[in-house]
Amino acid sequence: QQPVQSPQAVILREGEDAVINCSSSKALYSVHWYRQKHGEAPVFLMILLKGGEQKGHDKISASFNEKKQQSSLYLTASQLSYSGTYFCGSEEGAQKLVFGQGTRLTINP
Amino acid sequence: DGGITQSPKYLFRKEGQNVTLSCEQNLNHDAMYWYRQDPGQGLRLIYYSQIVNDFQKGDIAEGYSVSREKKESFPLTVTSAQKNPTAFYLCASSSLATNEKLFFGSGTQLSVL
């Protein structure tokens, strides 16, 4: 079963912050985050492996709450280049990675 | 440069026809995947393979078939049994180590004539 992402779409002005949530009805052993620009391949952002783990680079960070089976992606002081669709993915057994339905992020000047 | 190559970029299928989408990687990855992307539905797993000559069904395998005769190649056939094949198809690969990231190809847009 696919993870569930919320919100489905977000529209921001440049410089504003955003949070994208990912939750699963199944146990989450790890969480992947990817970003896809229209018509392009998804690009890897980060993997969180342990409950309570937080990661970040530049102004994009994420957290992973293993007990709540949730992960959140935080985009701070958004830039135009952050626009795209964000996907979370979870591993269901060996090498089987399933993705959420995506969150479309639009950043306006 | 290492990467994943999908071809063709655009493909048209006539009713009742089987079509094959190509996916080749030179990253020396053992695991390969096929995902289907429809608007608003994210990426759905069709098939995946961890080793040559072995593959597993994903969540939406009906109407599709794959083969893994070589480590570098994982072609996907969309059969006539797939009644709604119009979608964007993405191939990906990763190493077999646990929790390794996926590398994606640039995708194939399949449409029905």
Side-chain angles (χ1 to χ4, degrees):
Chain A
Q1 190 171 0
Q2 290 181 278
V4 176
Q5 290 183 232
S6 62
Q8 291 188 359
V10 183
I11 300 175
L12 300 175
R13 286 196 172 181
E14 197 173 6
E16 293 182 334
D17 300 340
V19 180
I20 299 171
N21 299 304
C22 175
S23 64
S24 176
S25 58
K26 294 185 177 182
L28 284 176
Y29 300 105
S30 66
V31 178
H32 296 225
W33 285 98
Y34 293 78
R35 177 174 63 209
Q36 184 183 30
K37 302 280 188 178
H38 182 69
E40 299 180 5
V43 173
F44 171 78
L45 294 176
M46 63 189 80
I47 294 177
L48 298 102
L49 302 178
K50 300 178 184 177
E53 184 174 15
Q54 296 188 24
K55 276 189 176 181
H57 59 84
D58 197 7
K59 294 179 181 177
I60 299 176
S61 62
S63 63
F64 178 24
N65 187 324
E66 189 177 14
K67 289 183 180 179
K68 291 186 178 180
Q69 298 170 190
Q70 294 177 345
S71 177
S72 296
L73 186 71
Y74 306 94
L75 300 103
T76 305
S78 58
Q79 306 168 15
L80 295 176
S81 61
Y82 288 179
S83 290
T85 300
Y86 289 78
F87 294 98
C88 69
S90 65
E91 291 204 30
E92 293 185 358
Q95 306 305 127
K96 183 183 180 183
L97 185 61
V98 293
F99 288 92
Q101 81 277 21
T103 295
R104 180 181 291 182
L105 178 64
T106 302
I107 311 292
N108 293 320
Chain B
D1 288 336
I4 300 180
T5 302
Q6 288 188 242
S7 62
K9 190 172 178 65
Y10 300 97
L11 187 59
F12 297 91
R13 192 190 90 166
K14 294 180 181 179
E15 200 162 331
Q17 185 182 44
N18 293 352
V19 292
T20 298
L21 285 61
S22 171
C23 178
E24 304 274 337
Q25 55 95 2
N26 60 4
L27 299 166
N28 199 34
H29 283 165
D30 288 294
M32 296 188 73
Y33 306 79
W34 276 105
Y35 291 92
R36 170 177 171 145
Q37 187 171 27
D38 296 277
Q41 294 198 48
L43 305 173
R44 292 186 290 168
L45 183 62
I46 306 173
Y47 270 99
Y48 63 108
S49 168
Q50 297 169 270
I51 194 170
V52 173
N53 293 323
D54 189 35
F55 46 82
Q56 288 77 41
K57 292 182 178 180
D59 297 327
I60 56 165
E62 187 173 350
Y64 300 96
S65 65
V66 293
S67 63
R68 188 86 188 275
E69 297 178 1
K70 299 186 300 183
K71 185 176 182 178
E72 303 79 19
S73 179
F74 192 41
L76 174 74
T77 297
V78 184
T79 74
S80 57
Q82 173 51 247
K83 298 305 180 186
N84 184 23
T86 297
F88 189 56
Y89 291 86
L90 284 161
C91 179
S93 72
S94 72
S95 76
L96 266 184
T98 304
N99 297 314
E100 282 296 310
K101 66 180 181 182
L102 264 58
F103 292 79
F104 284 89
S106 55
T108 293
Q109 176 64 50
L110 175 62
S111 302
V112 177
L113 288 176

